[in-house]
Amino acid sequence: MPGLVVFGRRWAIGSDDFVLPGAFELFVRLLWWIGILALYAVHKGRFNCPGGGLLHSYLLVLLILLAAIICALSALVYVSMQGTISNPGPRKSLPKLLYTRLLLYVPEFIWAVVGAVWVSDSSVQCEKTVINVIMGTVIASWVIIIFTIIGVVIVFDPLGGKKTFYLTNSVSRNLESSQSGQLLYNVKNTATRVWEKRIRLLCCCIVQDDDHRVAFTSIAELFRTYFSDTDLVPSDIAAGLTLLHQEQDKMESCPKEPEEVLCHSPSSLVADDLDVELENAAHYMLFAAAAYGWPYYIYTNPFTALCKLNGDCCRHRTADSDITGSDRHNFHFGSILRITGLQYRDFIHISFHNKIYEIPFFVALDHKKEAIVVAVRGTLSFEDILTDLSADCEDLTLEDVLENGFVHKGITQAANYIYQKLINDGILNQAFTIAPEYKLVIVGHSLGGGTASILAIMLRNSFPTLRCYAFSPPGGLLSKSLADYTKRFIVSVIVGKDLVARLSMPNMEDLKRRIVRIVANCNRPKYQILLHGCWYEVFGGDPDNFPTELDGRNQDALTQPLLAEESLMVHRSPSYNTLEGESHFNSPPQYPRLYLPGKVIHIVEESSSRRWCSSDIKYTARWSTEAVFSSILISPKMITDHMPDVVLKALNSLSQEHRSCISCQTRECNTNVV
């Protein structure tokens, strides 16, 4: 719903967001009031101690003040429970109640000061119990006041005061075109600056140069554009996500059509090819995981890693010229050695250097597979996050292959950095001088997987036999023409409902519209949605059947937005309101659709509980298409399915299962022969 407007500005909180925090404060205030009432009743007539007169007045006024606050909170919670997310009409009196509640903070603050003065007065000679209770009351008052101030800061919208930009279509049509253009430019400029300040604040701990400043502006523009056409507060998004998750689970529990099941039955030739690629992927995923260095090693071996790494730190290491960047105490290199099982002499080059668009990587000889492996690290620092979020598109022109194709800008710059190091610094020449008969394999996970894919495209002409394994790469990476081209030499591996593999600007736009649609058409109050959603996520159960305005509508009507949806999408925030009058439901996409690289192996859980606590997990794998990843799926595992240890576990499980099957078949054949 539109953000609450009080004190002449919009806030990042809805009028239906006071139910749960208000009920909690109401519970605390009731206990508090009962305790003070009991204290007053017990000591009534015994306030003759020095300072007792002030104590009597303090308790009496505090009881009246708490009673007034309890009444105001009760009314606030009751009104906030009315209506639905897209129907705030029954809550129209809430701003007045909110003003009343905030006004009561003034006497509460004054009385908290009076109580603090009384407690600290050395001349007071009343019972110790009474003094302790008053001290607890004073502390509780200050805690509530401080938390209220923190809450106000959190829900403060820096753009909420731009009331002059909150123009209806009729008003905007009366503006001169030059005035409206200037007004729109000012709104966009202000919003971009606000986002840029937020990003700078988050990245305050890193050294900032020109590249960072350009990235900040680009990312701020991206966020401003994405959030500019809706008026949803954070709790609306949370409610929308939990509704989408339950709706998605209901659809998944429906039996599949026979044709849908048959289409996933691969031929034996395709199955054999899949088994080979899964075995290779399980092997090379070790290199992709090792690129993370000591954080990954300690994460996967929390009890023994530090002891083992401390034992390695003083051992002999390769010459400093082979390693660039900081590796204090040899922890990174020691972790890479332990994860990969390689020797010191097997490493050609290791770079721990990390800046925006410049990510760590290493080049090593893999004698088991007779390959020169280039392993690129995934996201592990603020600089990497900035590289991820530099999601503008840029052209990538390939000689003798394609006229041009679109690619992710930040990841392409990271790939170009590694390309320059490999070619200009002669790293690959050195590797092939040592092992001329070996093939080139490029691997990476997450950001590293995307970078490895674009790096493979750049090196393809020079090394026609190269292979690339991209584990959980970002979804918005390559245009359709480039994605089809890479199917000859890149294999992407995706586990379950991995968010990052589905993360692209068109998919994010689709998710935004799905959230708006489902929250706008749900006929339940937000607090009920959130409470049931929390229970469902933690304890499971059946998805709730929330009635919606979509129930009973014919199929043709479902293609058009409802009035509530149009309200949330078009009648949007004063801070982000644009001056166009058209609906964004029918507007053309702002971003080109980008795809995953290469052929895609999708690994899913075959038999396990939907909850995190599942212990016995079996996986199945199949070749997939880009259509499977054209929508973001909401799940508790959408983040964990992306983690490198989960990907490695799934690949090892499938590889081990395949080896067991081959062993069983061999024994069966030998028995038949005998």
Side-chain angles (χ1 to χ4, degrees):
M1 65 155 293
L4 182 66
V5 178
V6 290
F7 298 115
R9 66 179 301 124
R10 183 233 188 228
W11 298 78
I13 189 171
S15 58
D16 51 358
D17 285 334
F18 295 91
V19 178
L20 300 179
F24 177 74
E25 186 183 352
L26 184 60
F27 174 73
V28 172
R29 296 282 186 178
L30 277 171
L31 292 180
W32 188 355
W33 187 80
I34 292 170
I36 296 298
L37 183 63
L39 179 70
Y40 182 80
V42 169
H43 290 80
K44 188 176 181 181
R46 291 189 293 168
F47 294 103
N48 300 323
C49 58
L54 181 60
L55 171 62
H56 179 269
S57 302
Y58 178 82
L59 291 177
L60 199 59
V61 174
L62 184 60
L63 283 171
I64 297 171
L65 183 58
L66 283 174
I69 292 174
I70 288 170
C71 292
L73 279 173
S74 301
L76 191 69
V77 170
Y78 175 77
V79 173
S80 187
M81 293 171 66
Q82 308 306 306
T84 63
I85 294 176
S86 59
N87 178 27
R91 302 189 294 273
K92 61 184 179 182
S93 60
L94 190 131
K96 296 178 182 177
L97 293 172
L98 192 59
Y99 289 139
T100 303
R101 172 65 191 95
L102 292 174
L103 193 62
L104 289 172
Y105 274 111
V106 176
E108 184 177 16
F109 173 77
I110 295 172
W111 224 236
V113 173
V114 170
V117 171
W118 185 85
V119 167
S120 60
D121 189 355
S122 58
S123 63
V124 175
Q125 301 295 326
C126 293
E127 293 182 20
K128 192 69 174 176
T129 304
V130 177
I131 296 176
N132 289 337
V133 169
I134 300 302
M135 186 181 295
T137 296
V138 171
I139 292 173
S141 296
W142 282 109
V143 167
I144 290 177
I145 291 171
I146 290 170
F147 271 96
T148 301
I149 294 172
I150 293 172
V152 169
V153 172
I154 290 173
V155 302
F156 177 78
D157 185 352
L159 299 171
K162 304 284 182 181
K163 288 203 303 178
T164 53
F165 301 132
Y166 191 35
L167 304 172
T168 61
N169 293 337
S170 60
V171 175
S172 64
R173 279 195 291 267
N174 292 332
L175 290 173
E176 296 291 334
S177 59
S178 60
Q179 290 177 314
S180 62
Q182 184 61 38
L183 198 58
L184 177 59
Y185 173 79
N186 291 339
V187 174
K188 289 183 175 180
N189 215 22
T190 304
T192 302
R193 285 201 305 271
V194 168
W195 279 109
E196 192 169 346
K197 288 178 182 176
R198 290 169 175 170
I199 296 167
R200 287 181 187 278
L201 184 62
L202 286 173
C203 300
C204 61
C205 58
I206 62 176
V207 179
Q208 299 177 10
D209 55 19
D210 290 338
D211 285 339
H212 288 84
R213 283 186 280 274
V214 171
F216 291 158
T217 303
S218 174
I219 296 167
E221 186 70 23
L222 184 73
F223 278 106
R224 193 269 306 164
T225 303
Y226 183 73
F227 290 105
S228 64
D229 60 350
T230 57
D231 197 3
L232 295 174
V233 297
S235 59
D236 294 338
I237 298 173
L241 290 175
T242 189
L243 287 173
L244 284 176
H245 182 207
Q246 295 177 63
E247 181 185 61
Q248 175 187 300
D249 284 353
K250 281 193 289 187
M251 293 177 64
E252 288 179 356
S253 63
C254 295
K256 292 184 178 181
E257 296 293 332
E259 296 82 0
E260 193 176 349
V261 176
L262 287 174
C263 72
H264 292 309
S265 301
S267 65
S268 59
L269 184 62
V270 173
D272 291 342
D273 184 38
L274 177 61
D275 290 335
V276 172
E277 293 295 3
L278 282 172
E279 185 180 349
N280 288 334
H283 176 77
Y284 289 119
M285 180 59 204
L286 278 174
F287 290 82
Y292 285 101
W294 66 261
Y296 174 82
Y297 187 62
I298 292 177
Y299 173 71
T300 53
N301 302 274
F303 301 110
T304 60
L306 284 175
C307 295
K308 292 177 179 178
L309 291 176
N310 279 328
D312 291 341
C313 69
C314 299
R315 293 182 185 177
H316 172 70
R317 55 180 287 176
T318 52
D320 290 339
S321 58
D322 296 327
I323 299 178
T324 61
S326 174
D327 183 21
R328 188 169 296 178
H329 305 304
N330 203 26
F331 274 11
H332 275 308
F333 193 28
S335 299
I336 293 173
L337 287 169
R338 288 192 170 274
I339 295 169
T340 60
L342 300 181
Q343 303 296 318
Y344 284 97
R345 62 179 179 272
D346 295 328
F347 288 87
I348 308 298
H349 180 83
I350 303 176
S351 172
F352 299 116
H353 170 75
N354 192 199
K355 286 179 59 181
I356 184 171
Y357 309 134
E358 298 175 7
I359 57 181
F361 69 98
F362 68 81
V363 181
L365 300 178
D366 176 20
H367 302 296
K368 182 179 180 180
K369 293 286 186 178
E370 296 187 345
I372 296 169
V373 180
V374 179
V376 187
R377 196 190 76 181
T379 303
L380 199 63
S381 66
F382 276 115
E383 288 87 350
D384 298 335
I385 294 173
L386 293 175
T387 302
D388 285 319
L389 293 176
S390 299
D392 291 338
C393 294
E394 68 176 25
D395 291 333
L396 180 67
T397 303
L398 298 174
E399 235 180 275
D400 302 327
V401 179
L402 295 167
E403 291 186 2
N404 86 47
F406 291 116
V407 290
H408 184 291
K409 179 182 176 181
I411 296 177
T412 302
Q413 293 191 31
N416 189 60
Y417 160 75
I418 298 177
Y419 177 85
Q420 298 296 329
K421 301 287 287 184
L422 293 176
I423 301 301
N424 295 350
D425 292 0
I427 296 172
L428 286 184
N429 282 339
Q430 180 186 351
F432 279 104
T433 300
I434 298 172
E437 71 282 4
Y438 282 17
K439 60 181 180 292
L440 179 62
V441 178
I442 308 174
V443 302
H445 172 266
S446 189
L447 169 63
T451 306
S453 300
I454 297 178
L455 178 62
I457 296 172
M458 294 175 173
L459 291 170
R460 170 72 169 170
N461 283 341
S462 302
F463 303 92
T465 61
L466 76 76
R467 298 287 293 172
C468 174
Y469 291 89
F471 303 98
S472 309
L477 191 65
L478 306 175
S479 61
K480 180 66 172 152
S481 58
L482 274 176
D484 290 340
Y485 167 66
T486 58
K487 289 180 180 178
R488 308 173 200 172
F489 56 94
I490 297 179
V491 174
S492 291
V493 179
I494 312 298
V495 175
K497 299 176 180 177
D498 184 354
L499 169 66
V500 175
R502 295 169 170 83
L503 209 54
S504 65
M505 288 310 299
N507 283 2
M508 289 296 292
E509 289 287 340
D510 171 68
L511 177 64
K512 178 171 64 177
R513 283 165 171 75
R514 286 159 57 202
I515 289 174
V516 168
R517 189 171 189 81
I518 202 163
V519 300
N521 298 318
C522 183
N523 290 340
R524 292 279 185 88
K526 189 193 298 182
Y527 76 93
Q528 291 185 14
I529 299 172
L530 293 175
L531 286 175
H532 182 272
C534 290
W535 181 273
Y536 182 73
E537 298 297 343
V538 176
F539 300 106
D542 296 325
D544 202 349
N545 229 348
F546 285 110
T548 70
E549 294 180 25
L550 297 176
D551 298 339
R553 300 180 75 209
N554 60 47
Q555 190 64 31
D556 294 336
L558 292 178
T559 61
Q560 299 298 324
L562 299 178
L563 290 177
E565 298 174 50
E566 291 179 333
S567 172
L568 291 174
M569 288 293 292
V570 182
H571 193 267
R572 42 197 181 274
S573 163
S575 45
Y576 301 125
N577 190 40
T578 60
L579 300 178
E580 294 85 9
E582 74 274 5
S583 169
H584 282 247
F585 278 89
N586 300 317
S587 60
Q590 300 180 32
Y591 310 97
R593 182 167 287 280
L594 301 181
Y595 299 88
L596 288 165
K599 295 192 295 183
V600 180
I601 297 176
H602 190 200
I603 301 174
V604 295
E605 292 181 11
E606 185 181 42
S607 57
S608 72
S609 167
R610 188 178 61 82
R611 299 293 152 203
W612 295 332
C613 57
S614 172
S615 56
D616 186 22
I617 301 176
K618 289 191 66 178
Y619 297 95
T620 57
R622 60 170 177 262
W623 292 111
S624 192
T625 63
E626 57 264 17
V628 175
F629 306 96
S630 61
S631 181
I632 293 174
L633 301 180
I634 309 302
S635 167
K637 295 186 176 181
M638 62 194 296
I639 302 297
T640 57
D641 281 345
H642 181 71
M643 302 301 287
D645 60 311
V646 174
V647 178
L648 183 59
K649 176 185 174 184
L651 286 168
N652 285 337
S653 174
L654 288 166
S655 181
Q656 185 176 359
E657 184 180 345
H658 175 59
R659 286 194 295 269
S660 300
C661 289
I662 292 176
S663 178
C664 291
Q665 290 172 1
T666 303
R667 284 199 300 268
E668 187 176 336
C669 288
N670 292 336
T671 304
N672 291 337
V673 168
V674 173

